[in-house]
Amino acid sequence: MNFSTPVKASRLNLSSLLADFTPHTKTWSRIKAALSVHRKGLGNDVHSGVCEDADLSDAEKVYAECGQQQPLRWEECILPQRMKQCLKIGEGTFGEVFSTNNESGDTVALKIIPVEGSEKVNGEDQKTFGEILHEIIISKELSSLKEKQHNQTHGFIGLKDLHCVQGCYPADFLKAWDTFDQQKGSENDRPDFFENDQIFIILEFEFGGIDLENSNGTLASLAVAKSILHQVTAALAVAEQELHFEHRDLHWGNVLVKTTKQKTGSFLINGTTHSLETRGVLVRIIDYSLSRLEIDDLTVSCDISNDEELFMGQGDYQFEIYRLMRQENGNNWAAYHPHTNVLWLHYLCSKLLSMKYRGSGGRSAKDVREELTGFYDNVLQYSSATEALQSCPMFQ
């Protein structure tokens, strides 16, 4: 599982994360009030705090999102038995990802991000409370799409719980970190340098499987690739309709796949139920570090207009997508341009066509490859993932 941000050497310059105004936004205090608690009752798994004070600090807003008054000790949030079961499964510039079991025995992924400290992490400044609030709010909104009545999808990773903890990195997590480093090699600093006063945010997600990049050579056939593309397009379309959502960083490390016995999956778009063939895999989209959406006419987005390093990457189509997005939105990252989702679908299709598959797929493989090639050749004409879903011949 890979929760990495796109350019490891570049810390995003999130100069004004929550100060992106829409035409409907009246005042900064209204944004602060709306996002101080975010939103109450987002399903059964995650509960936002309840407070209407527009003058809360960013720290207090994050505590409220966690349902806490202040940071807790690690062991109060992650029981020692659960720590002993943890395995490191991924990493990003700003944090580490571990798997463990929750109280129900289900496998969950813990994304652990240090915040507000003075120590650099992997060569970068730590995120602030204001910056992490962006990711928390978007994670909750997308997770809650599985419960909506009008636009519904399970295609975004489910957020199960949220914690704010304080203290040194626990020994069990360091042991799991070392095992990962020995087996796969880590690009990150060993997180043993944090002091007792260090604060961390822990986002506890459902376990979504293995990312596409690490699934190369393991998927059964091109028919599976077609289903993955269909599932991603459907999830993006639902989020466009409900939230005016743009992912903005949908590289193949941010698409997880896991096996399923379900033959079909379903989603709701504008009140109508649709189904699709799973071909034995379920897709979950992750990592909203660069994402943008609207809540009650308020825009939550990430201003990357000054992050020149992000737009200078070479060697993969992924880096060209960042430049194409900037070209389309004129470097205004608060505005809604759903065609950016189409750019990422074009990129994902190119990756799926280039991947290796376990089986030849029989006689039908040639037909599926032609369909995928047709999608690649024509998808950029659509204005949004919604239009691609509704108009592309491959999905009809």
Side-chain angles (χ1 to χ4, degrees):
M1 185 179 289
N2 184 340
F3 284 83
S4 63
T5 43
V7 179
K8 191 165 181 56
S10 167
R11 179 173 186 265
L12 300 176
N13 298 313
L14 312 182
S15 57
S16 185
L17 260 178
L18 301 177
D20 298 308
F21 286 68
T22 70
H24 306 290
T25 304
K26 302 296 186 223
T27 62
W28 165 237
S29 65
R30 183 174 166 224
I31 288 182
K32 286 180 73 176
L35 300 186
S36 64
V37 238
H38 176 212
R39 189 183 269 186
K40 296 178 232 171
L42 282 179
N44 300 323
D45 294 321
V46 183
H47 302 283
S48 295
V50 179
C51 178
E52 299 302 329
D53 186 355
D55 296 318
L56 287 176
S57 67
D58 286 340
E60 289 168 320
K61 292 180 214 174
V62 171
Y63 301 152
E65 291 289 338
C66 296
Q68 298 174 204
Q69 302 282 316
Q70 60 192 20
L72 300 173
R73 296 193 309 276
W74 282 83
E75 57 273 19
E76 290 181 84
C77 297
I78 312 293
L79 297 175
Q81 188 55 40
R82 294 181 65 197
M83 288 196 200
K84 284 185 171 50
Q85 298 169 333
C86 76
L87 300 168
K88 179 174 168 178
I89 56 174
E91 63 184 27
T93 306
F94 295 109
E96 308 284 345
V97 188
F98 299 86
S99 69
T100 186
N101 292 332
N102 64 13
E103 286 80 357
S104 309
D106 299 322
T107 304
V108 292
L110 305 176
K111 183 176 181 180
I112 300 174
I113 304 168
V115 294
E116 290 286 343
S118 56
E119 292 271 10
K120 283 191 181 289
V121 179
N122 309 317
E124 306 295 336
D125 291 338
Q126 293 182 31
K127 287 195 174 190
T128 64
F129 278 122
E131 289 167 354
I132 202 67
L133 192 61
H134 164 269
E135 187 165 354
I136 288 170
I137 290 168
I138 294 181
S139 295
K140 285 190 175 186
E141 283 295 328
L142 293 171
S143 178
S144 73
L145 285 177
K146 64 181 179 291
E147 292 146 1
K148 299 289 184 186
Q149 301 305 308
H150 198 60
N151 293 299
Q152 184 186 97
T153 178
H154 289 260
F156 295 93
I157 199 76
L159 184 63
K160 297 288 192 184
D161 214 339
L162 190 61
H163 313 285
C164 182
V165 300
Q166 189 168 26
C168 301
Y169 230 81
D172 288 318
F173 283 95
L174 289 174
K175 185 178 173 186
W177 194 97
D178 291 337
T179 301
F180 179 94
D181 189 34
Q182 288 156 13
Q183 292 175 352
K184 298 188 176 180
S186 173
E187 295 181 44
N188 284 2
D189 302 329
R190 189 175 190 265
D192 57 358
F193 54 88
F194 294 109
E195 303 288 345
N196 265 324
D197 61 351
Q198 177 65 51
I199 295 172
F200 299 87
I201 300 301
I202 305 177
L203 295 107
E204 186 168 319
F205 293 103
E206 68 172 312
F207 181 73
I210 309 300
D211 65 76
L212 264 188
E213 185 175 4
N214 285 300
S215 300
N216 199 354
T218 69
L219 300 175
S221 68
L222 276 167
V224 176
K226 178 181 168 182
S227 173
I228 289 169
L229 206 53
H230 197 169
Q231 291 182 56
V232 170
T233 305
L236 291 173
V238 169
E240 284 176 356
Q241 293 304 301
E242 186 70 17
L243 297 165
H244 283 179
F245 173 74
E246 294 174 57
H247 189 286
R248 295 179 171 173
D249 195 22
L250 200 50
H251 58 76
W252 62 342
N254 285 338
V255 178
L256 305 183
V257 292
K258 64 178 176 183
T259 56
T260 181
K261 292 181 179 173
Q262 289 175 231
K263 298 287 187 193
T264 59
S266 65
F267 59 94
L268 267 171
I269 194 157
N270 296 325
T272 303
T273 303
H274 302 269
S275 64
L276 49 76
E277 291 185 40
T278 66
R279 294 290 180 166
V281 299
L282 291 179
V283 167
R284 295 291 184 269
I285 294 170
I286 61 168
D287 198 340
Y288 318 122
S289 303
L290 304 189
S291 297
R292 176 254 192 243
L293 54 70
E294 291 171 26
I295 312 168
D296 303 328
D297 294 329
L298 299 168
T299 298
V300 182
S301 70
C302 172
D303 182 10
I304 52 175
S305 57
N306 297 318
D307 189 6
E308 282 307 315
E309 234 179 310
L310 179 63
F311 303 103
M312 290 167 61
Q314 298 292 336
D316 191 277
Y317 185 33
Q318 172 188 343
F319 303 117
E320 183 63 23
I321 301 290
Y322 303 125
R323 292 187 282 273
L324 289 169
M325 289 196 298
R326 182 171 64 172
Q327 195 175 307
E328 290 199 5
N329 65 26
N331 214 21
N332 173 7
W333 298 91
Y336 180 47
H337 291 271
H339 192 255
T340 65
N341 291 328
V342 178
L343 294 175
W344 286 106
L345 290 174
H346 192 241
Y347 156 90
L348 285 173
C349 188
S350 74
K351 289 296 185 192
L352 289 163
L353 281 166
S354 70
M355 285 170 68
K356 294 183 173 68
Y357 297 89
R358 286 203 322 270
S360 64
R363 266 184 249 169
S364 64
K366 186 180 173 213
D367 294 340
V368 177
R369 183 168 286 279
E370 282 178 7
E371 280 190 288
L372 286 166
T373 304
F375 181 91
Y376 180 81
D377 290 342
N378 295 298
V379 70
L380 291 175
Q381 70 181 298
Y382 301 118
S383 62
S384 62
T386 305
E387 191 185 349
L389 182 71
Q390 293 170 344
S391 305
C392 179
M394 191 170 79
F395 299 143
Q396 306 318 310

